[in-house]
Amino acid sequence: MCDHTHDLPLSRRRVLAAGATLAVGATAGCSGLTDDGGTPAAVAVGSDWGCDQCGMVISQHPGPNGEVFFESNSPEGHDNPARFDALKSCLFPYLRAREREGWTAAAVYVTDYSAVDYEIRDAGDPTISSHTDAASFADARELWYVVESDLRGAMGRDFVPFSSKADAESAAAEYGGRVVAYDDIGPALLGD
């Protein structure tokens, strides 16, 4: 097991994210925008929330999680955000399919592994820990992703996001793969 710990500046990020969640998250309703037209903050994943792509209970599985708030639409069966237990197999395919239907994402949040103390279990089949609190999420469009690595989550090998490019490069050096930006995640990486 590998325990990665991060320094004090990341704790500040957690405090700021938690404050934003309290201030803005309570105003997020059915639409993806807050009552004042602003972008909603990430919210903590409920203990019984199922993934909107695969249906698995998110809190019961390892790996990166994600949330998508849509501007004028909501996922089937509940208010925003759409929620996911994996990025490669669930969040990105769901998001791309909705975008093809004309839906617009107001905000996309994923686990920021630079902001959490994560663990890697099973060195032979490295599985990265899950983090479901609001402070563990960051704007997906601003992160660096380790792709094509041996790191696993809920649905097998997954994209692992970091706000620090150096952290992403370090993970790629240790577990294989390469580092890409959000905009580089397209059909070739998704297997479409």
Side-chain angles (χ1 to χ4, degrees):
M1 174 163 57
C2 181
D3 185 14
H4 296 267
T5 336
H6 298 283
D7 297 329
L8 185 60
L10 296 175
S11 295
R12 181 175 177 268
R13 181 183 301 139
R14 282 183 161 186
V15 170
L16 292 173
T21 298
L22 291 173
V24 181
T27 63
C30 203
S31 80
L33 302 176
T34 61
D35 291 339
D36 64 0
T39 303
V43 297
V45 173
S47 62
D48 62 343
W49 284 9
C51 175
D52 283 305
Q53 179 75 1
C54 71
M56 293 179 7
V57 176
I58 298 166
S59 64
Q60 296 177 2
H61 299 282
N65 302 302
E67 305 175 340
V68 179
F69 289 86
F70 291 100
E71 285 184 8
S72 302
N73 304 89
S74 293
E76 187 174 330
H78 61 84
D79 289 342
N80 273 305
R83 50 257 187 149
F84 305 95
D85 65 345
L87 305 185
K88 180 180 180 185
S89 298
C90 297
L91 183 143
F92 282 102
Y94 183 98
L95 177 58
R96 300 301 185 233
R98 296 311 172 276
E99 288 172 337
R100 286 190 295 273
E101 294 171 5
W103 293 30
T104 301
V108 180
Y109 296 108
V110 295
T111 307
D112 176 4
Y113 283 96
S114 290
V116 298
D117 296 328
Y118 64 89
E119 295 179 350
I120 303 293
R121 293 189 315 257
D122 190 0
D125 205 10
T127 302
I128 196 163
S129 56
S130 178
H131 301 271
T132 58
D133 59 310
S136 67
F137 292 106
D139 183 341
R141 296 168 178 144
E142 303 295 322
L143 303 182
W144 297 97
Y145 295 79
V146 177
V147 299
E148 300 169 338
S149 77
D150 291 330
L151 290 169
R152 296 177 178 275
M155 303 291 285
R157 289 189 169 100
D158 209 345
F159 301 152
V160 181
F162 296 86
S163 55
S164 163
K165 189 173 186 181
D167 289 348
E169 289 168 341
S170 176
E174 188 168 353
Y175 298 103
R178 59 192 174 102
V179 176
V180 301
Y182 177 88
D183 289 336
D184 296 326
I185 298 175
L189 285 175
L190 294 172
D192 290 353

